[in-house]
Amino acid sequence: MTTSFGTTTGTLTPTDPKIRFQSFTGLKSSNSIALTRNLRVFPLPFCTPTLIRAVSTPLKPETSTAEPKRSKVEIFKEQSNFIRYPLNEEIYTDTPNINEASTQLIKFHGSYQQYNRDERGTRSYSFMLRTKNPGGKVPNQLYLTMDDLADQFGIGTLRLTTRQTFQLHGVLKKDLKTVMSTIIRNMGSTLGACGDLNRNVLAPAAPFMTKEYKFAQETAENIAALLTPQSGFYYDVWVDGEKFMTSEPPEVVKARNDNSHGTNFPDSPEPIYGTQFLPRKFKIAVTVPTDNSVDILTNDIGVVVVFDEDGEPQGFNIYVGGGMGRTHRQETTFPRLGEQLGYVPKGDILYAIKAIVATQRDHGRRDDRKYSRMKYLISSWGIEKFRNVVEQYYGKKFEPFHELPEWEFKSFLGWHEQGDGALFCGLHVDNGRIGGKMKKTLREVIEKYNLNVRITPNQNLILCDIRSAWRRPITTVLAQAGLLHPRYVDPLNLTAMACPAFPLCPLAITEAERGIPDILKRVRAVFEKVGLKYGESIVIRVTGCPNGCARPYMAELGLVGDGPNSYQIWLGGTPNQTQLARTFMNKVKVQDLEKVFEPLFYYWKRRRQPKESFGDFTTRMGFEKLHELVDKWEGPVQSPVRYNLKPFADKETYEAMEELAKLQNKSPHQLAMEVIRNFVAAQQNGKSE
């Protein structure tokens, strides 16, 4: 039998219907970890009877002669020639969609195939593209490019995500290569924004010029570079092999190439990932003490920079095992908070990260994708066994976790000093959706003043590097587009989040982004009804399915779609995102939410302890008692009916306002206060804060 390598595709062209070649079978752990090889037989790929791709498969050590069960996606990855085939052929076919294997592979390139679920009949296929922006950093040129692409090839809007990236919806298959290559040629990338590999690395978005924040951002960028795929599949597919690589710090290159403890596949195009990449998505966040703007405990790895008294970085605390996704009515799936792994010195962080990734790569489940996240591996093993295995790849023992101060949620909204003489302005964007007049105005401001921007993990936008003289004109023009100072935004909106859900997400069970505006108005109306003040707020997050993209399981009040127009209600998260919520009720119809909200908020108002948050209140009271209060609820004690004439000149004005308020599902007082706040905001625009 003879074989020959294709000169352009890098594939093997066999003359025999089967071909034997060497395949990695995983990394074995003992006193030392040795890479083993054996010969295996692979049938030809199902789509291409004349071609076969060489593989290098990181499987768990085999305990029997039987082939381990693997999910279909694992087979697609194995036969893909490092995430190329058949996607590199499918994007050129005349159909509006791509086949099943390509649908899985294109995720590694930063895209999902979708269709409009509002339409009936023939499916209208399109693609969502997601960018990769470590720490949320977006250069001026890339922002303007994404803004243009949204109008030319998308649905006219940009979506800011909970992982500090852009999502561009509605791109047609025939335009994919144009859009992808345009992003690449304008300082952007979508490589690894989806798929079974490291996703976007989070870091605090605030562009503070302090040692602490700059070092956290730098660390996030280095981790992102370390875990970026190396085999070139992304550039082969979208820019015909042309490389757009930025220079990497030498410490990143050194850490990636180091194989002192068996973390790598020698001579593989993917030294860390191999042909199989990771069992599932992998999420990492980096932050500084006290700053929990990144939801640090929800990530597979949470990295916290530890500083000395002079603000000099000394090392890192590491959390492992966080994750939000779950499946309804399968109690073996669950959200989980990260737990303490240990501390590493400053120079070791990249090696420690790689050791954790290698442990999940070689031991995470590949048979059932519901259980493939690292949180299930740690839950199965326990943290001690997990730490011991990671230490074999790391080559050292982890030091004890350093004590940290209490976490705080920081939004960075409003105007702030950067620390270098410039200002930054954090803008609240409801659910991260930039469109209409807001999109046009942001484009004008960012282009006119040549501003760089950053995306926050709470779906907001930060305008950076603003001169003091620009503050007043920028404030004025932004307010005219509805981008107000946070003091003029309902506090409920400031911390709320929702995933896109309908109409384009294929996993959505019910509404999220389109439903949350009305839900927040209804919560505000209940607040007023039970006597809670306008300045009081709770963290509300809504998702259309249980996968948890908007991290609802960390909210004080989480609504998770569990049927058409129906939500599962989660209670017990905290304002600083350090406690996991729990399921309170199932199958609550959207029209019945007040029946649950009213008693909960009424008794929070009357029975809470001083400064007790809603989440802490629900935990202290206990769900049994709360269920009893909800079941027996007959409405708040009514005081004698009277007109609240304070905001109105006369009874007729009140009644007219009442009619208008009914059309907007608000109380007359709520609508009047909105009008007054908007008027005051208009008068205040441009004045010194």
Side-chain angles (χ1 to χ4, degrees), residues 96-127:
N97 61 312
I98 55 180
N99 65 19
E100 183 183 8
S102 297
T103 299
Q104 294 298 327
L105 298 178
I106 201 170
K107 296 177 183 179
F108 292 77
H109 297 255
S111 180
Y112 283 88
Q113 180 171 272
Q114 302 180 329
Y115 64 92
N116 191 330
R117 297 176 65 188
D118 282 347
E119 298 177 358
R120 295 294 178 261
T122 304
R123 290 183 175 182
S124 300
Y125 285 101
S126 65
F127 291 81

Side-chain angles (χ1 to χ4, degrees), residues 202-224:
L202 303 188
F208 291 130
M209 293 295 112
T210 63
K211 292 179 183 177
E212 292 87 349
Y213 277 85
K214 289 175 70 176
F215 189 72
Q217 183 75 49
E218 177 186 312
T219 301
E221 292 169 356
N222 286 347
I223 292 172

